[in-house]
């Protein structure tokens, strides 16, 4: 049976006053009384229990925890009780009180409480990094929630599912669940409890998808919307990690230190250790290795005290990365071995993959290339089985480099092709939702156009019946109208065909259009030869990172324009992907083949590019060339030879031409 809520005087006498141990808490108490006296269960922006909870949470995590224990047990089974219970669970785990949850929450036989029990188990499993148990519990909770037809309940369960997936570093289909929360929250008559948490999840997802500017904007917005400074700690932490992603280590450190200060004031040791761990990662990225080890050691010691094996292993992996960066490979190996001994393969695949990759880097530093290949291959298999695209791409890149070091260029090339495929799939996942939305919009537009067409057709038939005497004139109008439609259709088809065959940014041919034309080209004239040239802009990623993507786009367009002007209308230019281009130069005299490519390389390197900030920079490119007089081998084989030669040009110093054999 649910416990009846006590009146305000009983709350003050039995709970709030004995807990008032500081001046800050007296301030929170006064605000709480105003809130309880001024509003019913919901205010215009937020429910009163949550306002009180936010005040207490900003001051002391333990005090907020005690308040949640009381609130969950005085709240009748409902979506609100599920939300409070799940929030209590996350707070209990942060305070190492997870084992007491069964005694803290008084469950009834209500369907809401059954869902809450599944949710509690799921959040505990996620905290312990038990992936399969987490997904199973959430599956039960979500299935039951959708049968209740309660939008607030569905939004609540979906929101905590998002939080659990983020905890497990699983961002697959996160967009879908975010949209489900928004869809259900939009039909509520009163504001949804988890709007700030939803905004935080959207920012994390934007960061994962590479839209760091949007993520920063979202974090700054949610920070501005947070009324109490103490509640900004998680947003400071996540904002710092976004700055870390874009290499802004000063701002990353600044916001992590803010989060650390607030966590210490709240006496939330679990989050304190997390902030220290992140500070260690930032210091390592910034090259401050001694400071990095100090932060990581502090975090590791806390995780040892709290008996959190997963976090211990994670801290050890970060220490191994510092040791590798400082050439202390033996210490790195010891840290990685100890990390592996602390976790299980079944529930910690992402972390084990990270360990394998770091071990491969360590082996390479020791010159043990064969062992490095073994570790990187295990990382590749683990990440592929877990659909972990980020680690899969890292492992393919590393394996390609390792095989190249062994002079196994065929295997390196095969892995490069796999890498390109995985990157394309990864990028396509990022835009999948946008494409689906666009397709839906186009379907609606097409239907509207069809309705208009049918309406016009009916009107024309009515006019024919009512104006038989003007049949000839009417037929002439129809003919003219049809010709106009045909002209418009042909014009649209030409534009569509051009866009399908040309790259939107540079105007160069697409890969498929280029290969189609080249494959149908006649043999060269007597005494002449055809030439295929593959070239790739050097250090293009650094141009994007340092000067911004608009400057990178400008470099690509200028390169294409320069190539078209230099080689003339007889040559074909294609953008094969990213910063890679392919040229087809027909009927060249043998004596001029090498010279003309070298001349273009020099002209490209001497042509400045204006950046967004007004600076002038120069870019270079690495080239590979292939000449033939007779019917060529398959274009795929030629491309393989060109790719190997291009790889040799890159490895031998870049900004040069290498002839493919």
């Amino acid at each position: 049976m649910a416990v009846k809520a006590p009146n305000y005087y009983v709350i003050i006498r039995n709970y709030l006053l004995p807990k008032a141990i500081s001046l800050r808490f007296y301030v929170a108490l006064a605000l709480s009384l105003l809130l309880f006296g001024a509003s019913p269960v919901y205010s215009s922006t937020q429910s009163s229990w949550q306002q009180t909870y936010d005040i207490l949470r900003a001051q002391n995590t333990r005090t907020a925890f005690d308040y949640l224990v009381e609130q969950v047990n005085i709240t009748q089974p409902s979506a609100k009780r599920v939300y409070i219970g799940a929030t209590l669970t996350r707070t209990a785990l942060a305070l190492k009180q997870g084992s007491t949850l069964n005694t803290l929450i008084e469950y009834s036989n209500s369907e809401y409480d059954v869902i809450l029990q599944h949710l509690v188990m799921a959040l505990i499993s996620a905290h312990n990094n038990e992936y399969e148990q987490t997904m199973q519990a959430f599956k039960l909770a979500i299935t039951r929630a959708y049968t209740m037809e309660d939008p607030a309940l569905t939004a609540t369960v979906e929101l905590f599912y998002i939080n659990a997936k983020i905890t497990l570093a699983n961002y697959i289909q996160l967009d879908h669940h975010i949209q489900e929360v928004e869809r259900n929250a939009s039909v509520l008559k009163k504001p949804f409890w988890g709007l700030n948490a939803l905004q935080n999840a959207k920012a994390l997802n934007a960061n994962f998808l590479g839209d760091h500017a949007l993520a920063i904007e979202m974090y700054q917005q949610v920070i501005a919307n947070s009324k109490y400074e103490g509640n900004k700690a998680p947003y400071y932490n996540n904002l710092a990690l976004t700055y870390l992603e874009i290499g802004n280590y000063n701002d990353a450190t600044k916001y992590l230190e803010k989060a650390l200060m607030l966590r210490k004031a709240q006496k939330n040791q679990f989050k304190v250790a997390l902030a220290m761990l992140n500070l260690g990662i930032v210091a390592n990225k910034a090259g401050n290795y001694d400071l990095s080890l100090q932060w990581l050691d502090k975090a590791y010691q806390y995780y040892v005290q709290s008996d959190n094996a997963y976090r211990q292993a994670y801290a050890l992996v970060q220490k191994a990365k510092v040791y590798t960066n400082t050439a202390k490979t033996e210490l790195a190996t010891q840290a990685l071995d100890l990390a592996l001994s602390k976790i299980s393969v079944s529930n910690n695949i992402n972390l084990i993959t990270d360990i394998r990759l770091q071990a491969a880097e360590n082996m390479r530093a020791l010159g043990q290339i064969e062992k490095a290949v073994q570790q990187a291959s295990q990382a590749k298999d683990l990440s592929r089985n877990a659909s972990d695209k980020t680690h899969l791409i890292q492992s393919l890149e590393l394996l390609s480099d390792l095989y190249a070091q062994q002079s196994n260029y065929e295997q390196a090339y095969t892995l490069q092709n796999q890498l390109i495929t995985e990157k394309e799939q990864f990028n396509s996942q990022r835009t999948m939702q946008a494409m689906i939305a666009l397709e839906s919009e186009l379907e609606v537009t097409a239907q509207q156009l069809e309705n208009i067409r049918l309406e016009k057709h009916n009107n024309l038939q009515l006019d024919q019946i009512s104006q038989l005497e003007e049949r000839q004139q009417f037929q002439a109008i129809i003919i003219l109208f049809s010709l106009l439609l045909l002209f418009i259709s042909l014009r649209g088809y030409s534009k569509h065909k051009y866009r399908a065959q040309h790259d939107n940014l540079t105007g160069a041919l697409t890969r498929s259009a280029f290969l189609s034309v080249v494959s149908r080209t006649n043999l060269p004239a007597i005494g002449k030869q055809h030439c295929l040239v593959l070239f790739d802009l050097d250090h293009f990623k650094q141009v994007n990172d340092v000067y911004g993507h608009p400057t990178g786009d400008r470099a690509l367009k200028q390169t294409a324009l320069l190539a078209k002007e230099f080689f003339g209308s007889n040559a074909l230019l294609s953008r094969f992907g990213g910063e890679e281009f392919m040229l087809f130069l027909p009927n060249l005299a043998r004596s001029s083949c090498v010279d003309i490519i070298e001349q273009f390389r020099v002209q490209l390197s001497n042509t400045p590019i204006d950046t967004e900030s007004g600076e002038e920079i120069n870019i270079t490119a690495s080239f590979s060339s292939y000449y033939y007089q007779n019917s060529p081998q398959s274009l795929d084989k030629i491309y393989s030879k060109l790719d190997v030669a291009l790889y040799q040009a890159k490895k031998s110093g870049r900004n040069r031409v290498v002839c493919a054999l």
Side-chain angles (χ1 to χ4, degrees):
M1 182 180 295
V3 181
K4 183 179 179 182
N7 60 36
Y8 298 146
Y9 172 77
V10 174
I11 293 175
I12 295 170
R13 183 190 65 192
N14 293 339
Y15 172 69
L16 292 175
L17 291 180
K19 300 289 183 182
I21 57 175
S22 66
L23 178 60
R24 290 184 302 175
F25 190 82
Y26 277 114
V27 174
L29 171 63
L31 288 171
S32 302
L33 291 173
L34 287 173
L35 292 170
F36 272 103
S39 63
V41 175
Y42 289 95
S43 69
S44 61
T45 59
Q46 186 178 46
S47 61
S48 59
W49 76 268
Q50 193 170 22
Q51 290 176 324
T52 306
Y53 168 66
D54 284 345
I55 296 170
L56 300 179
R57 181 164 64 102
Q59 299 295 320
N60 185 285
T61 305
R62 181 72 205 196
T63 306
F65 170 74
D66 292 339
Y67 177 72
L68 287 172
V69 172
E70 178 188 81
Q71 285 297 306
V72 76
N73 287 317
I74 66 173
T75 303
Q76 295 291 334
S78 59
K80 175 184 172 183
R81 174 173 158 89
V82 172
Y83 188 92
I84 295 173
T87 305
L88 168 63
T89 302
R90 287 170 59 87
T91 308
L93 293 170
L95 294 174
K96 296 190 292 185
Q97 296 291 319
S99 60
T100 66
L101 282 166
N102 286 335
T103 59
L104 293 175
I105 303 176
E106 301 171 5
Y107 294 106
S108 69
N109 294 326
S110 165
E111 187 69 11
Y112 284 101
D113 276 12
V114 173
I115 293 171
L116 176 57
Q117 285 180 293
H118 290 311
L119 206 55
V120 170
M121 293 303 299
L123 293 172
I124 293 173
S125 297
H127 180 79
N128 294 332
N129 206 57
E130 298 169 347
Y131 184 83
E132 293 181 3
Q133 294 89 324
T134 303
M135 294 299 106
Q136 183 62 30
F138 264 115
K139 180 179 179 180
L140 295 172
I142 291 174
T143 302
R144 287 179 175 271
Y146 274 93
T147 62
M148 296 287 286
E149 297 184 357
D150 182 343
L153 175 65
T154 305
T156 295
V157 176
E158 287 278 11
L159 179 62
F160 282 100
Y161 181 51
I162 291 169
N163 290 332
K165 291 192 73 171
I166 292 172
T167 299
L168 295 168
N170 179 3
Y171 289 80
I172 297 174
Q173 292 187 331
L174 211 58
D175 281 339
H176 166 74
H177 299 289
I178 289 173
Q179 290 171 8
E180 281 298 291
V181 176
E182 292 180 322
R183 182 178 66 82
N184 284 281
S186 66
V187 302
L188 299 177
K189 295 181 180 179
K190 296 162 186 174
F192 179 54
W193 308 288
L195 291 180
N196 267 10
L198 177 62
Q199 187 77 353
N200 184 47
K202 291 171 70 175
L204 282 166
N205 191 45
N207 189 35
F208 170 74
L209 296 176
D211 195 343
H212 305 305
L214 176 61
I216 290 172
E217 181 183 341
M218 287 180 170
Y219 285 131
Q220 290 174 340
Q221 181 179 343
V222 78
I223 287 171
N225 291 341
S226 298
K227 190 173 183 180
Y228 310 108
E229 183 68 19
N231 294 335
K232 299 177 182 179
Y235 312 129
Y236 285 145
N237 180 83
N238 294 338
L239 178 58
L241 296 182
T242 304
Y243 280 121
L244 172 62
E245 285 284 333
I246 61 177
N248 186 341
Y249 305 129
N250 289 332
D251 281 338
T253 301
K254 178 180 73 175
Y255 285 108
L256 280 173
E257 288 175 344
K258 281 188 174 185
L260 178 61
M261 179 188 67
L262 294 174
R263 294 306 195 189
K264 285 182 176 178
Q266 295 166 338
K267 299 180 181 179
N268 189 334
Q269 289 301 314
F270 183 80
K271 297 296 185 180
V272 166
L274 180 60
M276 290 177 174
L277 184 67
N278 288 333
L279 279 165
I281 294 172
V282 172
N284 181 34
K285 292 283 188 180
N288 196 341
Y289 302 123
D290 290 338
L291 180 61
S292 176
L293 287 174
Q294 291 175 23
W295 283 122
L296 293 173
D297 281 334
K298 289 179 180 179
Y300 178 73
Q301 291 305 320
Y302 168 79
Y303 293 134
V304 170
Q305 294 171 10
S306 60
D307 196 26
N308 190 322
Y310 174 80
R311 291 288 178 179
Q312 290 175 44
Y314 190 81
L316 287 167
V317 172
Q318 300 308 318
K319 290 179 69 174
K321 291 180 180 180
V322 179
Y323 290 139
T324 299
N325 289 338
T326 54
K328 298 177 181 178
T329 50
E330 291 185 3
L331 291 176
T333 300
Q334 293 172 13
L336 292 170
D337 288 342
L338 182 56
L340 281 173
S341 70
K342 291 181 175 292
I343 54 179
S344 67
V345 176
S346 60
N347 288 321
N348 303 277
I349 293 177
N350 288 337
L351 181 56
I352 287 180
T353 305
D354 203 17
I355 293 173
R356 296 295 184 196
L357 285 171
Q358 190 59 36
E361 292 283 6
N362 211 38
M363 296 297 180
R364 179 163 66 170
L366 290 170
Q368 300 173 359
I369 304 301
E370 194 61 41
K371 290 184 178 180
V373 168
Q374 293 175 3
Q375 293 288 347
S377 297
Q378 290 183 45
K380 176 174 72 72
D381 294 340
L382 285 170
S383 56
R384 191 181 295 280
N385 291 337
S387 299
D388 182 354
K389 291 290 185 183
T390 302
H391 279 128
L392 179 56
I393 289 170
Q394 291 176 11
S395 60
L396 287 171
E397 287 176 334
L398 179 56
L399 273 172
S400 178
D401 287 344
L402 290 170
Y403 279 118
Q405 282 186 252
Q406 293 179 319
S407 299
N408 189 346
Y409 297 113
E410 183 177 355
Q411 186 64 25
Y413 172 72
T414 300
L415 289 166
Q416 280 289 333
N417 282 340
Q418 293 179 21
L419 177 61
I420 291 170
T421 301
E422 293 298 338
K423 284 184 175 180
E424 289 176 348
Q425 291 177 355
F426 184 67
N427 290 332
S428 67
Q429 287 178 356
R430 294 181 174 181
T431 57
M432 185 64 71
Q433 294 299 326
M435 290 174 63
I436 292 173
L438 179 60
E439 288 174 1
S440 177
E441 181 180 344
L442 289 175
E443 287 177 3
V444 173
T445 304
Q447 185 60 51
Q448 291 173 341
L449 290 174
E450 178 66 14
N451 291 340
I452 293 171
R453 189 191 68 79
L454 290 172
E455 183 178 351
K456 286 184 177 181
H457 181 70
N458 290 335
N459 289 336
L460 288 173
Q461 287 185 328
L462 291 173
D463 288 342
Q464 285 179 322
I465 295 173
S466 64
Q467 300 177 17
L468 291 176
E469 68 278 6
E470 299 179 1
R471 187 178 187 87
Q472 290 182 340
Q473 282 187 338
F474 183 75
Q475 287 177 341
I477 292 173
I478 291 298
I479 291 171
L480 290 174
F481 184 69
S482 300
L483 289 174
L484 178 61
L485 286 178
L486 179 61
F487 172 75
I488 293 172
S489 299
L490 290 173
R491 187 178 178 185
Y493 173 77
S494 298
K495 288 183 178 179
H496 176 75
K497 184 177 181 180
Y498 179 87
R499 290 172 182 170
Q501 293 180 345
H502 290 77
D503 175 55
N504 289 335
L505 178 64
T506 63
L509 287 172
T510 62
R511 181 172 183 158
S512 59
F514 177 89
L515 294 175
S516 175
V517 174
V518 172
S519 65
R520 291 184 281 107
T521 303
N522 295 328
L523 292 176
I526 297 174
K528 300 289 183 76
Q529 57 186 344
H530 293 334
C531 177
L532 284 170
V533 182
L534 181 67
F535 66 98
D536 184 281
L537 300 186
D538 297 328
H539 303 296
F540 186 74
K541 183 177 185 299
Q542 293 181 15
V543 173
N544 280 330
D545 292 344
V546 175
Y547 300 102
H549 287 277
T551 298
D553 290 347
R554 190 172 297 168
L556 293 170
K557 288 190 285 188
Q558 182 166 309
T559 299
L561 180 62
L562 193 64
K564 291 175 183 177
E565 291 175 351
F566 185 90
F567 292 106
S569 59
N570 287 334
L572 293 178
L573 176 68
S574 170
R575 184 181 178 192
F576 257 42
E579 64 271 24
E580 189 178 81
F581 294 85
M582 177 80 89
L583 274 165
F584 175 67
L585 308 177
N587 293 308
L588 291 178
R590 295 182 182 181
S591 59
S592 65
C593 288
V594 177
D595 290 342
I596 193 170
I597 300 171
E598 179 63 18
Q599 290 170 18
F600 175 67
R601 181 193 67 77
V602 173
Q603 183 171 340
L604 175 64
S605 62
N606 291 335
T607 304
I609 294 172
D610 295 327
T611 68
E612 287 292 290
S613 60
E615 300 176 52
E616 284 190 351
I617 61 172
N618 289 79
I619 61 171
T620 64
S622 300
F623 296 74
S624 62
S625 58
Y626 181 88
Y627 306 92
Y628 62 94
Q629 292 176 277
N630 301 318
S631 297
Q633 308 171 40
S634 73
L635 291 178
D636 285 341
K637 290 184 178 179
I638 294 177
Y639 179 79
S640 298
K641 293 181 178 182
L642 286 168
D643 203 26
V644 171
L646 181 61
Y647 184 81
Q648 292 172 348
K650 291 283 188 182
K651 285 297 182 180
S652 56
R654 295 183 170 85
N655 192 22
R656 63 194 61 216
V657 181
V658 173
C659 184
L661 300 178

